[in-house]
Amino acid sequence: MRRPKKRKKKQVESSKSATSDEDDSSSKSLSSDGGEDGGVLEQQEEEAEQKRENALRLELDRLNQLPKASRYVRFKKPIIERCLSILAQRRRTKYQQSQLEKLLSQLELL
């Protein structure tokens, strides 16, 4: 789901704060099709991403306890780090999203 674009800086701050508060509250509760389910779906997606990130961080901590020279660590650690870097970006391209799915399937964690 796309988030609303930020407004340009040239606008007067007082009018910007008054209108942006109204815009933000209405855009968060409505989905692209005009229903209220969009907010629920976005929240579920964020929770799923948070679970993925937590699982990846736990796996990374576990890998850091193993010998650095092992093949297992050398294979898994760059994949996990790349997944975490993609998850850190809130706006992703379709390519990044597909790359994330492929990397996660390689890890077989989630």
Side-chain angles (χ1 to χ4, degrees):
M1 300 274 161
R2 291 188 177 172
R3 296 183 185 212
K5 292 183 179 179
K6 293 185 179 179
R7 298 177 185 260
K8 294 183 180 179
K9 293 181 181 179
K10 292 183 181 180
Q11 294 178 345
V12 178
E13 289 187 25
S14 61
S15 65
K16 179 182 175 184
S17 63
T19 58
S20 66
D21 291 340
E22 295 170 3
D23 293 342
D24 290 343
S25 63
S26 63
S27 65
K28 287 180 183 176
S29 64
L30 299 177
S31 69
S32 59
D33 62 354
E36 293 182 4
D37 294 336
V40 174
L41 292 175
E42 285 182 15
Q43 185 178 10
Q44 289 175 348
E45 289 175 3
E46 288 179 18
E47 289 174 0
E49 285 186 6
Q50 195 71 301
K51 288 180 183 178
R52 283 182 188 150
E53 187 174 346
N54 289 340
L56 289 169
R57 290 195 187 282
L58 287 173
E59 182 69 13
L60 188 61
D61 290 341
R62 192 177 69 79
L63 288 177
N64 286 334
Q65 295 174 357
L66 298 173
K68 293 181 181 181
S70 74
R71 282 184 163 185
Y72 183 77
V73 172
R74 288 186 300 179
F75 173 75
K76 293 250 181 179
K77 193 171 181 179
I79 295 173
I80 292 174
E81 289 171 345
R82 179 65 182 145
C83 288
L84 287 172
S85 69
I86 293 174
L87 282 172
Q89 298 174 354
R90 295 297 168 207
R91 295 181 126 185
R92 297 182 202 112
T93 62
K94 290 180 182 179
Y95 174 75
Q96 288 174 325
Q97 189 65 32
S98 66
Q99 187 179 23
L100 177 63
E101 291 171 5
K102 288 177 185 176
L103 291 171
L104 289 172
S105 68
Q106 284 181 352
L107 291 174
E108 298 175 359
L109 286 177
L110 308 170

